[in-house]
Structure formats: structure tokens, C-alpha cells
């Protein structure tokens, strides 16, 4: 039986050769993301801003524009009405009402009254503004600490140059993902933080596998120039890199298409994140190493 | 290569066997599960968003308690300052912004500073006193505040637990979160309004005398009387079911407080009205007997959270510590009141700051879709691995199955909560779990291309891949540990799933597939590897 081979085993792609193109791509992505973050900011969900969300299943497909008008007439401030999957499913988002718990309850009751009878309330969330900002802060803090711990490990197990390149690649990934959440209509909530984490985790995994090979080859091929060495290592690990990316993407695509609405909105940013992460470990982290004066075998002996 | 020590073989098989045993309860129906021995009853704990229910995050108003504590010191401070003949003005409790509340006053003569400090310390040794430009400021000391806050939170959790338990909610989870939060999870509850109503009330009960010399004031609900009450008394609203309310002047001094209650039950009065019967402990009973003896034919007030729920007259001495409140209750209100009194008063007001309710249909849909997504992910990855590596790919697939089994066994044993991102995490594990096998197989291929004999190639492949596998997985594991330490809620849950997934995939890739390959190679007596 013929085996499936994604990448021929003796590739000799010149990654170092087109590093300027990939660096340029990374620079554009980073700049665009930063611009988006600075001008538009993040598209915070109700979890973060405070307010409430109702996820409802109507008895029959509603007339959305008419319903939107009716709900806006309640005077509850900005009311967002989203169709969600099925024509009968709706998400209603309302900003936090001034006043205490009763004001929130009151608003929910008025919405319920407007929607009428026979509605299945699948989910109701009310969040205070304080909780929201804490969620972002704590989440991002946890992510930052986790990334730092990983980098310390790399610096210990490898050399500081590897850790530095990994930081740059990771920073690129995180900024790009945040940019994705800023420039595209993805809501930034607690699951978004997990999406960033998965991307960062995958990317660093990928980077380490490649770095491991570079470290091994440094000992093995002492005469090779740094550029050639990185190229060789990338080509040797290329079939693993693509295979693992494929299996991971297959699993995520299965979730995206079959995992239900909530999980699919969660898996899309991760799918993009895995692609970004693979790109950064092959086209950023490894080529960047050539600019740092890595210790070669000969030098150690001298 | 072909030799695997017997103990290793049995350990690997043993882990797989126990994995299957501990994962198995998840496949059983709830009825069947009931008949299992207790050590086999653990299943994966589904998060509220998957099984439906309500989640409440409450904030304990610690500042309010500190303020109240200081306010109670006002009278004594006033008295002692006068006794020491220290001139002062503006004695108040300040509580502005985020700063902790403070008791302050201005000295008429700045030279009294030292003595004023002494007076305050004598009243309460837990006060930290500072003087600046004749302004004396006393706040609760750091240690005292910390100590008090801790016990307030613990006590609040206890009271909330009793209230929720008494309301008949099954399997509630009540936990402390952060410095001043309590999380309440109520599986199966679709409308938390009732529970919120129960939790939100402080339920501080006091028995106080009514000042009969001051006539009651009648007004609309919520409008406080315009005239101020005589010294030592305050106007409190009397709860009734008519359009108007009465405000009675009630003595500030508390005769008996709810703390001496030992039981409260909903009952009916002799006139057939819903009522609440009370039972006091011995100290409370004695105080109640004294109070009734000295005030016969006088009116007293039963005050709950600054509202008079009943203002009866002492007809007789109440000697045995049994009493009855018959206010204007409905049966439901009588039940609720007795429940609140039984559970005790909250030491601090609670505020709901986050509330999530998931209906059962959404949870069931999510589980259903999540299962399908995971199964499809598994099938796709399995087929892909087989297409790429043939028989060896099939071995990786067996390892993948055990990966999932062990993951479920681990989640069940740890009683970790599975949430929606958790399901995504499991599917992702499927994709990433084969990574170690891919690394090993690619290495073996490289060795074969370099002209090394098959079995030696397998051996070398494993050896060489191990460093990479350990490096990459340990990094992620460190990340997961840090996330668990600093993360909250879903992030923490995700960290547990992630860490478990990594450890298990290390085991399956390094031990299980290796064992399978060895057993297979022994039988085949192969010369060529089907890679």
C-alpha cells in the first residue's frame, strides 16, 4: 500500500532564502494588528463590559427587524439582536442598566414580556462591570506568567538565544491573535483567552521541536554555515511539522463543523491560531536564530 | 529492543486496565451507576453550562461591616472622650471611595493628641490611630481586618450553604473565590430569583421595645418620616400589606437578638393565621423572660433587617423561651422567614455581581454536539494516521483510544469539572496526542533511510525522539501548572485538562505504542518496517 506523504522526505526548501518575505509578512501582520488594537481596541463581550445576554429559542422564526424595533423601544440602551445558527435561535445582548440588581432583573423581565410566551430561555447571563475587567486582567496575567515560565525553561534547557527567538515568535503570535479579535467580529471573552493560550502553547511546542533539531545539528555538522544549518533542520522536521499541524487542524475542523454553535465560534480563532503558530515557528523563530551569535561546537573547545 | 522487562509490561497493561475501569462509569446510566460500589461512582463532573443550572457570584460587602463595627464604637468614644475631658468636634465614621472606613474627629486642643490616642486604644486594641493637624483618625488594623474578614467570609459561606440547603436545591456547590467573593452553583435551577431572594437578605433579627411616648407616623411606602425620632430611638417601617405604612419609634437598644435563636418553624397562630414559632437558647430565654416581665402590656417590635415584621404587646410573661410571630404573612412568607431565621443572619450584606443561567436544553445540545465533534475528530485523525503510517499508524490509533480512555478516567478520579472549552480541549488533545508518535515515526524513517536495520532503527528512533518529546511537553506542562496557579474558572479547568492530556500522551507514546510495536515485532520476525 502506498502511504500518504504530505511532504517529500528530501525537501530542500530555502527557508533562509525567503526569510525577508516571511519577515515582511510578519511585520505587516503585527503592524495591522497593533493598529487595530490601538485604534479599535478589542471587541469585548458582555462578560467584560458588564450587561446581560439572553439566548432564546423562539416558538417560530421571528421577524428580526420588527423584534429589534420593539426591544429598542423599551429604552434599555443599546440592544443587540443576533441570529445564531437556527432561524429560531436568537441572542439578545443588552448593556448593563443603571442601578442595582433589581434594575437588571426588571430589564430582563421587560424583555421576556416583549418576546411573549412559548420562548425557551436557553441561557441568561448577567455580569457586573467589575467582574468583567477582573476577568481580563486575571486571564491575561495568567497567560503572561505561563508564557514567562515556559521561556525560562527554554533558556535553561537551551541557550538564551533560543529563548529570545521564541519570545519574538510568541509575541508575534499573541499580537496577531489579538489583532484577529480586534479587526474581525470575534467577541473577546474568557474563551478567547483560552484560544490565545492554545495558540501560544501549540506554537511554542512547534518551535521547540525545530530548536531541538537545530541544537542537535549544531553538534553534528560543525562545518555548515548557520544559515545552511537552520535550513537543513527545518527541512528535516518539515514532515513532522506539517503532519502534526494537519492532525490538529483535522480535529479542530471536526469541532468547527460538528461541535455545535458555541464550540465552533470557539474553534475558529484556534484554527487560525494554529496556522499563525506554525508559520511563526518555521518562518520567524528559526531564521531569527541566524542573527544571534550561537555558540558552535568548535568555539566551545577553544 | 525486543526485551521489555516483565514488571514494565504489567505496569503498562495495569494502567490501561484501570483506566478502562475508572472511565467505565461514564458510560453507565444514572440508575445503573447507583448500584456501583462507591469507588466506582466517580464520573466526569459536568460544568453548569453543560448540564443546565444557575451560577451566582456574590460579593461580600466587607467595607460595610467594618463601617458598622466602627459606628458601634461611636457612643463609647464620645463617652470616654468626655470623661477624660478632651474637647473634640466632628466625631464621625468616614467611608469614602476605596479607602477602608475610619473613625475621625477634630481635637479642640492639639495637645490632647496623645491622650485621645490612649482613649481610643483603650476602647479597642485593634485600632490603628494616627493624628495629623489635630485630626484624629482611627482605622481597624491590618491584622484585625484580615482576621475579621476571613471569619466573615467563612461565616457567610456557612449561612449561604444552610439557606441553599434548606431551600431544597440538590448538590449545590458553594465556594470562596478571591478575597471577597462567594461562588454558588445550583445545578438544575432554571430561575435563580428565589434563591437570590433568600441569599440576598441579611436576616438580622432583633427584639426591641417600642417607644410608646412617640406616636407612630403614617406615610407612603419608602418615605421616611420627616421628623426625627427622640434620642435613643429610630423610626422603622412596619411591614404590612396595605398601601400605607406605619413608622414606629423603636428603641435602639437591642433586648434580645436573633443569635440566641435555636429554632424557627412555620406554623399557624390560634386564629389560623400563618405564623412563625421561635425557640430561644437558655440565655435568650432568660433575657426574653426578663424583658416581658418588666414590660407587661407594653408594645415591642420584632425587627428583621431594619423593618418591623411584627409589633405585638406583651400580654404575659414569656418564661420558657418559646415565642410566636404572627405578622401579616402568607404561608410562603412564613416558610421563608422561618428558613432565614433557622439558617442565621449573614454577617455582611451580599451582592450578586455575576449570574449565569443555562437552560437544560442548551446544555444537552452542547454535550450532544461536543460528542459528535469529538468522535469525528477522532475518526479523521485515526484515518489520517493510518494513511500516513500504515500498521504503525494503526498502533498510534490504539494509543489514541487509550489516551481518551485515560483522560476520562483521570477527569473522573480528579472530579475535575468539564466545561465547553474543556470539550474543545479534549478534541485538541486528539490532534496533538499523535504528535509524539509522529516525532518517533519520522525519526525511525530517517534512521531507515540512513541504512540502519529495522529493529535498530525503531530503537534509535525512540531514543532520539525522547529528548524532543520531553522538551516540548515539559514546556507546555510548566505552562499548564502556572495557569492552574494563577488562573480562575474556565482557565483553571482548561489547565487541568491540558496537563492531564500531556501526561497521558507521554505515557501512551513512550510506553504503550512501544510495547505494541515490540509485541508485534516478536511475532512477525520482520525484516522490513511497514512505515
Amino acid at each position: 500500500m502506498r502511504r500518504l506523504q504530505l511532504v517529500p522526505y528530501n525537501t530542500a526548501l530555502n527557508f533562509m532564502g525567503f526569510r525577508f518575505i516571511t519577515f515582511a509578512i510578519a511585520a505587516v501582520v503585527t503592524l495591522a494588528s497593533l493598529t487595530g488594537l490601538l485604534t479599535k481596541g478589542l471587541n469585548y463581550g458582555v462578560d467584560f463590559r458588564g450587561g446581560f445576554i439572553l439566548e432564546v429559542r423562539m416558538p417560530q422564526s421571528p421577524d428580526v427587524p420588527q423584534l429589534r424595533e420593539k426591544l429598542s423601544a423599551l429604552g434599555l440602551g443599546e440592544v443587540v439582536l443576533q441570529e445564531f445558527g437556527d432561524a429560531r435561535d436568537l441572542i439578545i445582548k443588552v448593556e448593563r442598566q443603571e442601578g442595582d440588581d433589581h434594575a437588571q432583573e426588571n430589564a430582563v423581565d421587560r424583555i421576556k414580556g416583549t418576546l411573549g410566551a412559548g420562548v425557551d430561555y436557553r441561557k441568561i447571563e448577567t455580569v457586573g462591570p467589575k467582574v468583567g475587567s477582573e476577568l481580563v486582567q486575571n486571564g491575561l496575567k495568567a497567560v503572561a506568567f505561563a508564557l514567562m515560565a515556559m521561556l525560562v525553561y527554554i533558556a535553561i534547557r537551551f541557550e538564551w538565544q533560543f529563548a529570545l527567538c521564541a519570545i519574538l515568535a510568541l509575541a508575534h503570535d499573541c499580537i496577531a491573535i489579538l489583532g484577529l479579535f480586534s479587526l474581525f467580529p470575534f467577541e473577546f471573552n474568557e474563551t478567547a483567552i483560552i484560544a490565545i493560550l492554545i495558540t501560544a502553547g501549540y506554537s511554542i511546542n512547534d518551535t521547540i521541536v525545530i530548536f531541538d533539531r537545530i541544537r542537535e545539528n549544531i553538534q553534528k555538522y560543525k562545518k555548515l554555515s548557520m544559515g545552511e544549518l537552520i535550513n537543513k533542520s527545518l527541512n528535516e522536521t518539515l514532515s513532522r511539522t506539517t503532519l502534526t499541524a494537519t492532525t490538529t487542524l483535522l480535529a479542530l475542523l471536526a469541532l468547527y463543523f460538528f461541535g455545535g454553535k458555541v464550540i465552533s465560534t470557539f474553534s475558529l480563532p484556534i484554527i487560525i491560531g494554529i496556522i499563525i503558530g506554525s508559520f511563526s515557528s518555521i518562518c520567524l523563530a528559526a531564521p531569527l536564530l541566524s542573527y544571534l551569535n550561537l555558540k558552535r561546537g568548535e568555539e566551545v573547545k577553544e | 529492543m525486543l526485551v521489555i522487562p516483565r514488571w514494565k509490561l504489567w505496569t503498562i497493561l495495569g494502567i490501561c486496565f484501570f483506566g478502562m475501569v475508572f472511565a467505565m462509569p461514564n458510560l453507565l446510566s444514572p440508575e445503573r451507576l447507583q448500584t456501583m460500589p462507591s469507588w466506582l461512582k466517580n464520573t466526569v463532573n459536568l460544568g453548569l453550562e453543560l448540564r443546565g443550572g444557575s451560577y451566582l457570584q456574590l460579593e461580600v460587602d466587607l467595607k460595610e461591616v467594618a463601617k458598622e463595627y466602627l459606628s458601634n464604637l461611636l457612643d463609647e468614644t464620645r463617652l470616654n472622650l468626655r470623661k477624660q475631658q478632651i474637647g473634640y468636634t466632628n466625631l464621625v465614621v468616614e467611608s469614602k471611595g476605596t479607602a477602608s472606613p475610619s473613625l475621625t474627629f477634630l481635637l479642640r486642643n492639639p495637645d490632647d493628641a496623645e491622650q485621645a490616642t490612649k482613649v481610643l486604644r483603650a476602647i479597642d486594641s485593634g485600632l490603628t490611630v494616627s493624628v495629623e493637624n489635630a485630626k484624629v483618625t482611627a482605622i481597624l488594623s491590618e491584622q484585625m481586618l484580615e482576621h475579621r474578614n476571613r471569619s466573615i467570609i467563612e461565616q457567610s459561606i456557612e449561612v449561604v450553604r444552610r439557606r441553599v440547603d434548606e431551600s431544597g436545591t440538590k448538590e449545590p456547590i458553594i465556594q470562596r473565590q478571591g478575597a471577597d467573593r462567594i461562588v454558588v452553583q445550583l445545578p438544575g435551577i432554571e430561575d435563580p430569583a428565589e434563591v437570590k431572594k433568600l441569599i440576598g437578605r441579611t436576616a438580622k433579627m432583633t427584639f426591641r421595645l417600642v417607644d410608646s411616648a412617640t406616636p407612630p407616623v403614617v406615610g407612603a411606602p419608602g418615605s421616611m418620616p420627616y421628623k426625627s425620632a427622640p434620642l435613643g430611638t429610630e423610626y422603622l417601617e412596619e411591614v404590612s400589606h396595605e398601601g400605607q405604612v406605619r413608622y414606629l419609634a423603636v428603641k435602639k437598644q437591642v433586648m434580645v437578638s436573633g443569635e440566641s435563636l435555636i429554632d424557627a418553624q412555620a406554623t399557624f397562630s390560634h386564629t389560623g393565621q400563618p405564623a412563625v414559632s421561635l425557640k430561644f437558647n437558655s440565655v435568650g430565654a432568660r433575657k426574653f423572660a426578663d424583658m416581658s416581665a418588666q414590660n407587661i402590656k407594653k408594645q415591642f417590635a420584632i425587627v428583621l433587617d431594619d423593618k418591623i415584621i411584627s409589633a405585638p404587646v406583651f400580654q404575659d410573661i414569656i418564661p420558657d423561651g418559646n415565642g410566636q410571630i404572627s405578622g401579616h404573612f402568607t404561608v410562603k412568607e412564613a416558610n421563608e422567614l422561618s428558613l432565614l431565621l433557622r439558617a442565621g443572619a449573614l454577617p455582611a450584606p451580599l451582592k450578586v455581581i455575576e449570574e449565569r443561567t443555562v437552560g437544560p436544553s442548551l446544555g444537552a445540545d452542547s454535550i450532544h454536539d461536543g460528542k459528535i465533534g469529538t468522535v469525528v475528530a477522532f475518526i479523521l485523525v485515526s484515518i489520517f494516521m493510518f494513511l500516513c503510517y500504515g500498521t504503525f499508524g494503526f498502533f498510534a490509533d490504539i494509543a489514541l483510544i487509550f489516551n481518551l480512555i485515560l483522560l476520562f478516567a483521570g477527569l473522573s478520579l480528579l472530579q475535575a469539572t468539564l466545561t465547553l472549552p474543556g470539550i474543545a480541549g479534549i478534541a485538541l488533545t486528539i490532534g496533538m496526542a499523535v504528535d509524539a508518535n509522529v516525532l518517533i515515526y519520522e525519526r525511525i524513517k530517517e534512521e531507515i533511510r540512513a541504512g540502519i536495520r529495522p529493529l535498530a532503527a525503531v530503537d534509535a528512533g525512540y531514543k532520539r525522539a525522547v529528548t524532543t518529546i520531553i522538551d516540548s511537553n515539559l514546556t507546555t506542562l510548566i505552562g499548564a501548572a502556572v495557569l492552574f496557579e494563577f488562573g480562575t474558572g474556565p482557565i483553571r479547568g482548561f489547565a487541568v485538562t491540558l496537563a492531564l492530556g500531556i501526561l497521558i500522551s507521554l505515557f501512551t507514546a513512550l510506553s504503550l505504542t512501544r510495547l505494541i510495536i515490540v509485541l508485534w515485532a516478536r511475532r512477525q520476525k520482520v525484516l522490513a518496517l511497514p512505515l
Side-chain angles (χ1 to χ4, degrees):
Chain A
M1 198 181 113
R2 252 189 71 80
R3 304 264 177 267
L4 182 67
Q5 185 111 34
L6 290 185
V7 184
Y9 75 89
N10 50 359
T11 51
L13 291 173
N14 188 5
F15 290 100
M16 288 302 285
F18 44 77
R19 68 178 185 277
F20 294 114
I21 302 170
T22 57
F23 284 177
I25 295 173
V28 169
V29 168
T30 310
L31 270 178
S33 301
L34 282 178
T35 317
L37 284 172
L38 291 176
T39 55
K40 283 178 72 180
L42 284 167
N43 176 15
Y44 288 119
V46 168
D47 317 25
F48 284 164
R49 273 182 311 169
F52 45 92
I53 306 178
L54 286 92
E55 202 180 312
V56 297
R57 175 163 287 174
M58 306 293 284
Q60 59 256 346
S61 314
D63 180 354
V64 177
Q66 195 196 335
L67 195 60
R68 184 173 287 134
E69 216 164 274
K70 269 199 212 165
L71 289 172
S72 300
L74 290 177
L76 301 171
E78 195 192 333
V79 178
V80 179
L81 212 64
Q82 274 173 9
E83 285 170 279
F84 188 58
D86 213 301
R88 285 164 52 206
D89 290 353
L90 284 178
I91 291 184
I92 301 164
K93 296 181 191 175
V94 185
E95 58 188 65
R96 189 168 173 80
Q97 304 296 303
E98 274 188 44
D100 56 0
D101 293 349
H102 295 293
Q104 319 301 323
E105 264 167 49
N106 191 8
V108 173
D109 286 343
R110 286 172 67 191
I111 291 172
K112 282 185 177 174
T114 311
L115 292 181
V119 179
D120 179 11
Y121 291 93
R122 287 158 71 85
K123 188 164 153 192
I124 301 176
E125 284 185 32
T126 323
V127 185
K130 202 168 148 199
V131 181
S133 64
E134 273 177 16
L135 281 178
V136 194
Q137 279 170 7
N138 290 342
L140 291 179
K141 206 161 61 184
V143 175
F145 283 155
L147 294 180
M148 257 158 21
M150 293 193 216
L151 294 170
V152 169
Y153 176 79
I154 299 177
I156 294 169
R157 276 291 282 146
F158 293 75
E159 293 185 30
W160 64 266
Q161 289 96 333
F162 288 94
L164 184 67
C165 293
I167 293 178
L168 289 173
L170 263 185
H172 164 267
D173 297 341
C174 291
I175 291 170
I177 283 282
L178 283 171
L180 191 71
F181 276 100
S182 165
L183 296 170
F184 296 92
F186 292 122
E187 199 170 87
F188 192 77
N189 51 28
E190 210 165 20
T191 46
I193 292 182
I194 295 181
I196 297 177
L197 268 171
I198 292 175
T199 302
Y202 183 89
S203 172
I204 208 151
N205 228 27
D206 223 25
T207 308
I208 286 183
V209 171
I210 294 166
F211 280 4
D212 225 53
R213 186 60 74 112
I214 294 175
R215 184 173 60 174
E216 187 184 320
N217 283 345
I218 284 178
Q219 306 297 322
K220 216 156 133 191
Y221 306 100
K222 299 193 168 154
K223 296 275 142 60
L224 233 49
S225 78
M226 205 53 212
E228 285 169 320
L229 201 141
I230 291 170
N231 250 342
K232 188 173 176 53
S233 309
L234 280 171
N235 278 299
E236 281 174 359
T237 47
L238 193 60
S239 71
R240 175 268 159 190
T241 312
T242 45
L243 270 170
T244 300
T246 310
T247 55
T248 310
L249 287 176
L250 276 178
L252 284 168
L253 286 170
L255 274 194
Y256 180 73
F257 288 109
F258 302 100
K261 287 167 284 185
V262 185
I263 298 186
S264 77
T265 46
F266 174 60
S267 33
L268 188 59
I270 306 178
I271 291 175
I272 302 170
I274 300 293
I275 296 167
I276 296 175
S278 300
F279 164 81
S280 79
S281 28
I282 298 174
C283 301
L284 275 186
L288 276 175
L289 265 182
S290 65
Y291 292 96
L292 297 167
N293 201 6
L294 268 178
K295 252 189 262 170
R296 305 290 300 261
E298 302 100 324
E299 289 170 35
V300 178
K301 275 179 213 155
E302 279 163 20
Chain B
M1 165 69 201
L2 288 185
V3 188
I4 279 195
R6 187 151 287 188
W7 66 268
K8 232 178 174 174
L9 178 94
W10 287 112
T11 316
I12 297 168
L13 292 179
I15 290 176
C16 291
F17 173 75
F18 281 108
M20 287 198 278
V21 169
F22 286 116
M24 186 255 311
N26 290 298
L27 296 174
L28 299 178
S29 66
E31 298 83 44
R32 187 79 184 78
L33 199 61
Q34 283 305 312
T35 63
M36 301 302 286
S38 62
W39 57 276
L40 259 183
K41 268 194 180 142
N42 286 342
T43 56
V44 174
N45 212 344
L46 291 182
L48 280 181
E49 76 244 61
L50 292 178
R51 65 164 142 174
S54 289
Y55 167 102
L56 298 172
Q57 193 174 166
L58 310 165
E59 192 177 47
V60 186
D61 197 344
L62 293 169
K63 218 178 132 192
E64 185 58 38
V65 193
K67 196 175 139 193
E68 203 184 297
Y69 184 85
L70 288 175
S71 301
N72 288 337
L73 298 181
L74 277 179
D75 280 337
E76 212 175 334
T77 309
R78 195 172 285 134
L79 203 75
N80 283 328
L81 286 175
R82 267 187 217 153
K83 235 189 239 166
Q84 300 287 321
Q85 297 185 323
I86 301 172
Y88 68 91
T89 53
N90 261 343
L91 174 66
V92 282
V93 171
E94 276 178 4
S95 169
K96 275 188 209 129
T98 52
S100 61
S102 58
L103 186 153
T104 63
F105 56 86
L106 286 170
L107 289 171
R108 286 191 199 282
N109 181 359
D111 296 342
D112 287 338
E114 205 176 310
Q115 238 192 321
T117 309
K118 254 189 213 158
V119 167
L120 284 170
R121 290 240 171 90
I123 291 172
D124 195 322
S125 58
L127 291 176
T128 303
V129 186
S130 58
V131 188
E132 199 181 326
N133 298 334
K135 186 179 179 182
V136 182
T137 308
I139 55 168
L140 290 170
S141 73
E142 201 89 358
Q143 295 136 297
M144 186 179 178
L145 213 55
E146 212 171 279
H147 178 75
R148 275 175 55 83
N149 288 350
R150 200 180 315 128
S151 72
I152 286 168
I153 303 257
E154 275 164 21
Q155 216 181 320
S156 303
I157 289 178
E158 202 40 51
V159 173
V160 169
R161 174 166 298 137
R162 270 184 299 202
R163 290 186 186 175
V164 172
D165 278 347
E166 293 246 10
S167 73
T169 307
K170 284 195 188 97
E171 299 175 58
I173 299 172
I174 297 154
Q175 283 169 321
R176 174 183 183 156
Q177 178 156 318
D180 56 356
R181 304 277 168 81
I182 300 174
V183 164
V184 181
Q185 293 184 51
L186 309 161
I189 299 285
E190 266 187 79
D191 185 7
E194 288 286 307
V195 179
K196 259 165 62 188
K197 218 166 105 194
L198 275 180
I199 294 173
R201 282 169 74 177
T202 314
K204 195 189 263 175
M205 189 189 223
T206 52
F207 292 83
R208 288 140 76 169
L209 287 173
V210 173
D211 181 18
S212 49
T214 315
V217 183
V218 177
S223 69
M224 281 310 272
Y226 51 91
K227 37 181 198 181
S228 52
L231 207 69
T233 70
E234 57 185 333
Y235 276 119
L236 290 181
E237 186 184 322
E238 186 182 19
V239 178
S240 76
H241 291 277
E242 285 110 53
Q244 288 192 316
V245 284
R246 279 206 306 169
Y247 292 91
L248 298 182
V250 176
K251 296 247 164 79
K252 278 186 177 169
Q253 192 196 0
V254 173
M255 307 298 285
V256 184
S257 78
E259 278 150 43
S260 37
L261 271 178
I262 46 176
D263 195 18
Q265 292 292 337
T267 173
F268 289 95
S269 70
H270 54 91
T271 56
Q273 295 277 335
V276 176
S277 71
L278 305 172
K279 195 169 168 55
F280 289 94
N281 62 16
S282 55
V283 181
R286 199 171 55 241
K287 280 193 196 160
F288 213 75
D290 290 349
M291 181 184 173
S292 55
Q294 286 157 23
N295 297 289
I296 218 128
K297 300 287 172 216
K298 278 189 188 156
Q299 199 182 16
F300 70 105
I302 303 167
V303 180
L304 185 76
D305 291 343
D306 289 334
K307 277 194 181 149
I308 302 170
I309 52 170
S310 183
V313 171
F314 283 115
Q315 299 293 353
D316 241 324
I317 300 174
I318 301 170
D320 54 357
N322 286 318
Q324 198 182 63
I325 322 170
S326 50
H328 313 265
F329 308 133
T330 61
V331 175
K332 199 173 153 229
E333 283 170 334
N335 275 320
E336 214 175 272
L337 179 60
S338 63
L339 189 159
L340 286 173
L341 293 178
R342 268 201 308 277
L346 280 173
L350 291 180
K351 213 167 91 190
V352 179
I353 49 170
E354 192 186 351
E355 185 186 333
R356 292 167 203 271
T357 302
V358 175
S361 70
L362 181 64
D365 280 6
S366 299
I367 295 179
H368 174 80
D369 295 344
K371 266 185 198 161
I372 291 185
T374 312
V375 168
V376 174
F378 176 79
I379 293 172
L380 286 179
V381 172
S382 298
I383 292 176
F384 182 76
M385 284 300 279
F386 184 72
L387 287 179
C388 286
Y389 296 114
T391 314
F392 273 42
F394 179 67
F395 294 159
D397 293 342
I398 297 176
L400 191 55
I401 294 175
F402 275 101
N403 218 297
L404 282 177
I405 291 174
L406 289 171
L407 189 60
F408 272 95
L411 288 175
S412 304
L413 284 178
L414 288 176
Q415 284 288 288
T417 306
L418 185 63
T419 55
L420 271 176
I423 292 186
I426 291 177
L428 200 69
T429 307
I430 296 174
M432 301 269 287
V434 291
D435 181 48
N437 281 313
V438 171
L439 277 166
I440 294 164
Y441 293 171
E442 288 298 312
R443 277 289 190 174
I444 296 176
K445 275 185 172 178
E446 276 177 53
E447 299 295 322
I448 291 172
R449 278 186 214 117
I452 292 171
R453 290 213 338 271
L455 285 181
V458 171
D459 225 14
Y462 265 95
K463 256 183 213 142
R464 297 207 147 180
V466 164
T467 7
T468 315
I469 293 172
I470 302 252
D471 269 336
S472 61
N473 283 295
L474 211 57
T475 319
T476 324
L477 201 59
I478 290 172
V482 175
L483 277 188
F484 184 77
E485 183 60 33
F486 294 101
T488 50
I491 293 184
R492 232 178 160 171
F494 175 76
V496 173
T497 321
L498 183 66
L500 210 57
I502 293 167
L503 291 174
I504 292 166
S505 73
L506 277 177
F507 164 77
T508 53
L510 295 182
S511 302
L512 188 63
T513 39
R514 194 184 177 137
L515 175 76
I516 297 172
I517 291 171
V518 168
L519 294 177
W520 169 85
R522 271 196 209 158
R523 289 178 141 253
Q524 295 282 315
K525 317 240 180 304
V526 271
L527 290 168
L529 287 177
L531 261 175

